[in-house]
């Protein structure tokens, strides 16, 4: 919304996601004439193309039945990880399947430099969406390196490496120049790179738990068991193949490399939200397709008579596995559908109207907490680029300059302030008595003797409490509404 209004990410709005997600959403709002329906159209289109490309790739490698099986099962498993949708990882699916398609084409027309160049470009797009999203492109790069060394094709490997790097640069350089032109390059690195490095600073124990969490998410449908079985079979399958460039073997090798790569990348984040594991699905899809291919190939060509038709036993096994996994996944989809629908149709009318009623004297709305969606719903700008304030009390990131900036912003614009701490324990309340009983931070694992709420933040609270008065509460969430007191 703010991009369409002329703002530049990072410079005008603080956030630590990659820049590409903002412009995807801006395109969606443009298509929908300000409505989120346009974003939903992009989501559906992205998923449709992902499924289609995945089917084409797996049909080339494993045949129709494995491709159909995998292309129905993996989208259904989105129900375990996608929630309300519109996640950066969700759009990353498209880039992963584009990468697989380009990779298979490159193996058909070696050295396939144009395809490797395009994979390098997709690598940059994935990185600009979210650094953790580069697993598929990284897996392909590792495969090319290994095959180049093992087959002693160093000349070809060198050409492919150059093509990959040039493809990545072709995308990255214009993006960096755009932000430099708009005086936002320093902010881009500070928020997108530096903050995320701090955000990812967690214990290895928590990372191990993340592996378990990811595997558990897809275990309910049986996809984890199928994929892990296929991964083990795949290792032995690859070892007995002399030509690793044959499409079936090459795709299987990328999936075998890709599973641990995706596991490692998904564990760099502090919190193990379900949607962090969305990018496992392309790898799991390929492995499940390989599993069905192996199942069909390994069965003797025996047949059974069923309804006067002779049917191969292997196909009956595939059908039985499909019905089991499909039924479990479909029940999950139907159960969660109402929540997905509510997420896309959600418009907190009662609280929104209450906030609007109190905005007669200002055009700025500061949601104290992480509810910037209300700026979107009301159409009111945030007075500060810190549309949510987690960075101001993130250990190792906050500075006196950042604290001074938000005080200056509030002083200059005199916004309406809505304190959302009653529904978010990570947010320190504005009221002093309530804050004295507040016992958490945005990232509790970092709360040590030397890392509490930054003392300088008290200046922000002192400024608000000395110049603002409580005028009411929102109807639904009972958030406190603070208004600037004239004459303060």
């Amino acid at each position: 919304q703010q991009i369409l209004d002329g703002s530049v990410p990072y410079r005008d709005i603080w956030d630590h996601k990659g820049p590409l997600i903002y412009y995807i959403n801006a395109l969606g709002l443009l298509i929908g004439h300000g409505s989120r329906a346009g974003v939903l159209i992009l989501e559906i289109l992205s998923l449709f193309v992902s499924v289609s490309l995945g089917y084409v790739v797996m049909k080339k490698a494993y045949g129709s039945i494995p491709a159909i099986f995998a292309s129905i099962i993996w989208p259904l498993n989105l129900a375990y990880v996608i929630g309300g949708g519109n996640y950066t990882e969700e759009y990353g699916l498209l880039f992963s399947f584009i990468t697989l398609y380009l990779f298979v084409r490159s193996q058909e027309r070696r050295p396939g430099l144009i395809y490797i160049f395009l994979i390098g470009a997709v690598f940059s797009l994935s990185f600009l969406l979210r650094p953790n999203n580069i697993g598929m492109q990284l897996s392909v790069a590792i495969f090319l390196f290994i095959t180049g060394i093992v087959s002693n094709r160093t000349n070809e490997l060198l050409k492919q490496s150059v093509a990959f790097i040039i493809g990545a640069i072709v995308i990255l350089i214009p993006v960096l120049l755009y932000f430099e032109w708009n005086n936002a390059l320093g902010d881009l690195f500070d928020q997108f790179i530096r903050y995320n490095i701090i955000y990812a600073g967690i214990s290895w124990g928590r990372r191990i738990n993340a592996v378990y969490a990811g595997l558990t998410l897809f275990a309910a449908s049986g996809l984890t068991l199928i994929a892990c079985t296929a991964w083990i079979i795949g290792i032995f399958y690859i070892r007995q193949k002399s030509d690793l460039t044959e499409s079936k073997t090459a795709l299987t090798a990328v999936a075998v490399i890709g599973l641990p790569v995706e596991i490692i990348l998904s564990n760099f984040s502090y919190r193990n939200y379900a949607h962090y594991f969305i990018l496992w699905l392309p790898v799991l899809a390929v492995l499940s397709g390989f599993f069905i291919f192996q199942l069909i190939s390994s069965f003797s060509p025996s047949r059974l008579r069923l309804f006067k038709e002779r049917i191969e036993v292997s196909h009956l096994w595939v059908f039985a596995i499909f019905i089991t996994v499909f039924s479990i996944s479909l029940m999950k989809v139907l159960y969660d559908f109402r929540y997905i629908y509510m997420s896309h149709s959600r418009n907190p009318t009662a609280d929104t109207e209450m906030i609007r009623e109190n905005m007669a004297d200002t055009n700025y709305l500061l949601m104290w907490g992480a509810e910037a969606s209300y700026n979107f719903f009301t159409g009111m700008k945030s007075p500060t680029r810190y549309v949510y304030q987690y960075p101001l009390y993130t250990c190792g990131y906050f500075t006196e300059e950042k604290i001074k900036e938000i005080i200056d912003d509030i002083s200059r614009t005199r916004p309406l302030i809505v304190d959302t701490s009653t529904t978010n324990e990570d947010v320190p309340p504005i009221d002093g008595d309530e804050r004295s009983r507040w016992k958490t931070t945005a990232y509790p694992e970092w709360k040590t003797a030397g890392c509490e709420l930054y003392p300088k933040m008290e200046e922000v609270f002192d400024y608000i409490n000395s110049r603002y008065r409580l005028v009411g509460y929102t109807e639904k969430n009972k958030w406190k509404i603070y208004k600037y007191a004239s004459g303060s």
Side-chain angles (χ1 to χ4, degrees), residues 124-171:
S124 287
L125 290 170
S126 296
F127 182 86
L128 292 170
L129 197 57
R130 184 170 182 255
N132 309 59
N133 288 11
I134 61 172
M136 192 59 75
Q137 298 82 40
L138 199 57
S139 300
V140 168
I142 293 170
F143 171 83
L144 294 175
F145 178 78
I146 291 172
T147 53
I149 297 299
V150 170
S151 61
N152 201 27
R153 295 173 176 166
T154 51
N155 227 13
E156 184 178 306
L157 175 60
L158 183 61
K159 291 178 183 178
Q160 290 176 331
S161 300
V162 170
F164 188 97
I165 292 169
I166 292 174
I169 290 174
V170 163
I171 298 296

Side-chain angles (χ1 to χ4, degrees), residues 30 37 66 69 84 106 110 117 133 167 175 213 221 253 284 294 324 336 339 342 376 392 403-404 413 440 471 480 487:
L30 190 64
F69 178 94
S106 73
R110 294 183 66 86
F117 167 85
N133 288 11
V175 171
S221 69
L284 299 182
Q294 282 294 308
T324 303
D336 286 355
Y339 297 112
M342 287 169 60
F376 173 81
L392 299 180
I403 306 300
K404 184 178 184 302
T413 59
T440 187
V471 295
K480 290 184 175 181

Side-chain angles (χ1 to χ4, degrees), residues 125 225 296:
L125 290 170
L225 179 61
I296 293 172

Side-chain angles (χ1 to χ4, degrees), residues 31 34 189 235 273 353 357 394 446-447 474 483:
I31 292 171
F189 278 99
I235 292 174
Y273 294 123
E353 290 307 315
E357 287 173 11
T394 297
W446 293 344
K447 190 173 182 182
T474 63
K483 212 168 188 178

